[in-house]
Amino acid sequence: RRLSRDTTTHQPLAYLRLRRAIRNVIQHRDIEPGQTLPSERDLSQALGLSRVTVRKAISGLVEEGLLTQRHGAGTFVAERIIKPMSRLTSFTEDLRARGLHPRSEFFERSVGEVTPEESMALNLSPGVLVARLHRVRYAEDEPLAIERSVVPASVLPDPHEVHDSLYEALEKYNCRPVRALQRLRAVLLAARQARLLHVSAGSAGLHIERRGFLDDGRVVEFTTSWYRGDIYDFVAELQTD
Ligand code: GLP
C-alpha cells in the first residue's frame, strides 16, 4: 500500500520540481528570451527523468506563458510578455516571473473626494475619500504601461505606502483582490502616452480596466491601464460549460 502511494506521488513531484527548476533558470536569465531550451529527449537523458515528466513540466510553463513552442523548431523562452487572463496577478508578479525587475515612476499619489465616475466604478457614496495613483510602469528602463489606480481610502489611507507594487501594499491590509473583472480594448496611443512609453504616436495599445473585488464583494481597486501593444499578449483559457 505504501509502495503504491509512493509511486503515485513520485511522478507529480518530479514534474513540479522540474517545472520550478526551469522557471528558476528563466528568472535568473541563464537562458535569455528567444533562446532555445534543450530538447525533450536531451533533458530527459541528462536528468534521468521520463519523457512524460519532462513534457508535463514544459507544457505547464508554456501555459504560464514563460515558454513558447514552434512546431518543428523547438521550445523557446518567450519574448513577448504573455499574461494568462484567468489568473489574478499583479504587474510586479508578471514581470518577476520573467526575471525582470519591475519599477514604477509616479506622477501622482494623492487622496481626494471620489468623482462621480469613480464612485460608480468603486460602488462608493459621494463624498467618500479615495487614494489615487498615477504611474508609468517599467521593466528595468523599458516603459511597458501607464496605470491610473483608484482605491478607497478606507482600504489604503496613504498612497505613499505603495512603492512599486499596489498589491503588496494591499496585502499588508489583507485587502488584496480575490476576484477581478477586466475589460480590454484596442486603442491608438495618444502623443503624450506614446512619448511616455517610448513608442511612436499612434502605435497600438491595449486599454485595460480592472475592477478588483474583496471576498465580501467590496470593490478594492479601479485601475485603468494603457499597455504597449507591441509587447503584451493576453491569453485566456476557454472551456465549454
Ligand atoms: C496589473 C493590473 C492592475 C493592478 C496591477 C497591480 O497591472 N492591470 O489593475 O493594479 O497589476 O500591480 P502591482 O502590484 O505591481 O502594482
Side-chain angles (χ1 to χ4, degrees):
R1 197 159 173 211
R2 206 159 140 208
L3 190 73
S4 72
R5 217 173 68 200
D6 280 347
T7 44
T8 50
T9 55
H10 178 74
Q11 275 302 88
L13 279 181
Y15 96 79
L16 285 177
R17 237 184 281 125
L18 177 59
R19 182 163 157 177
R20 197 177 319 132
I22 299 176
R23 195 188 293 118
N24 268 334
V25 165
I26 298 172
Q27 282 171 353
H28 291 116
R29 304 225 120 196
D30 294 328
I31 308 184
E32 297 282 327
Q35 284 189 335
T36 333
L37 207 71
S39 74
E40 210 176 274
R41 185 197 306 153
D42 288 350
L43 277 174
S44 87
Q45 269 170 9
L47 303 170
L49 295 169
S50 76
R51 298 259 312 240
V52 175
T53 301
V54 172
R55 193 170 310 142
K56 255 182 118 174
I58 290 177
S59 66
L61 291 161
V62 170
E63 263 169 37
E64 270 183 53
L66 292 187
L67 297 175
T68 48
Q69 282 177 323
R70 246 171 284 151
H71 191 67
T75 305
F76 304 83
V77 176
E79 275 177 296
R80 289 171 67 89
I81 296 173
I82 298 179
K83 189 172 165 42
M85 290 216 292
S86 46
R87 289 180 45 219
L88 181 48
T89 53
S90 70
F91 180 88
T92 302
E93 289 160 345
D94 293 340
L95 264 76
R96 285 199 184 135
R98 296 290 308 271
L100 298 168
H101 299 289
R103 185 166 76 73
S104 296
E105 266 178 32
F106 288 91
F107 303 115
E108 185 191 344
R109 265 178 291 188
S110 62
V111 174
E113 258 187 39
V114 71
T115 64
E117 196 209 354
E118 291 164 349
S119 81
M120 293 244 294
L122 289 161
N123 229 343
L124 293 175
S125 325
V128 166
L129 294 180
V130 289
R132 296 192 186 93
L133 306 159
H134 190 192
R135 52 189 168 151
V136 179
R137 318 230 41 193
Y138 295 84
E140 262 77 32
D141 290 327
E142 177 123 32
L144 300 184
I146 302 168
E147 240 167 10
R148 196 190 275 279
S149 301
V150 190
V151 176
S154 58
V155 169
L156 182 71
D158 180 5
H160 288 91
E161 283 182 51
V162 180
H163 301 290
D164 281 312
S165 169
L166 170 61
Y167 281 15
E168 271 171 23
L170 293 177
E171 237 156 59
K172 280 195 213 137
Y173 294 105
N174 241 332
C175 280
R176 187 187 158 118
V178 294
R179 189 175 74 81
L181 276 178
Q182 192 157 279
R183 179 188 294 261
L184 281 86
R185 173 154 41 91
V187 286
L188 299 181
L189 296 168
R192 183 179 127 81
Q193 295 170 322
R195 200 171 340 108
L196 290 169
L197 294 175
H198 297 182
V199 293
S200 29
S203 298
L206 281 165
H207 178 271
I208 300 166
E209 272 176 7
R210 182 185 286 184
R211 291 170 76 213
F213 299 87
L214 296 178
D215 230 354
D216 60 12
R218 269 183 299 158
V219 186
V220 74
E221 82 162 314
F222 176 55
T223 296
T224 310
S225 321
W226 290 264
Y227 277 63
R228 272 172 54 183
D230 59 335
I231 284 192
Y232 266 89
D233 281 9
F234 282 78
V235 178
E237 184 185 301
L238 308 176
Q239 278 173 343
T240 52
D241 286 338

